[in-house]
Amino acid sequence: MDIAKADIVISTAGRDRGKCFFVIETDGDCVLIADGKSRKIEVPKRKKLKHVRRVTRTDSHTARKLLRGEVVLNSELRRDLASICHEFNSQNQGG
């Protein structure tokens, strides 16, 4: 499963394990991720591909802006991640 820019991933290792992030950029065997809260888009976290798992490929307004290279606000990242990851977590818990 390929991880691309603007995908939503979940961290599988480290202090941020279990949290959702947007992929800001891909770089070989690493990705730059941000969630707009603990990791701002201005200073994304560099994480190895083996330590993240793709949750979904979204067609949200924020994802389209990331793909076009437009300015994305941290509040936009937080809003989209809250709605998408809430759905993902409720499906995985059987609720």
Side-chain angles (χ1 to χ4, degrees), residues 11-65:
S11 173
T12 59
R15 293 180 188 181
D16 54 6
R17 179 182 12 213
K19 292 183 182 178
C20 292
F21 296 91
F22 263 104
V23 175
I24 305 303
E25 195 64 54
T26 59
D27 179 27
D29 66 338
C30 294
V31 290
L32 297 175
I33 57 174
D35 65 358
K37 187 175 183 177
S38 61
R39 279 295 174 171
K40 307 285 186 184
I41 197 161
E42 299 84 10
V43 188
K45 168 78 173 153
R46 183 179 176 91
K47 201 140 179 104
K48 290 189 177 188
L49 284 173
K50 67 181 182 178
H51 294 151
V52 295
R53 180 171 48 101
R54 185 168 64 103
V55 173
T56 186
R57 186 163 282 156
T58 183
D59 190 32
S60 68
H61 180 66
T62 305
R64 288 191 300 271
K65 285 177 74 172

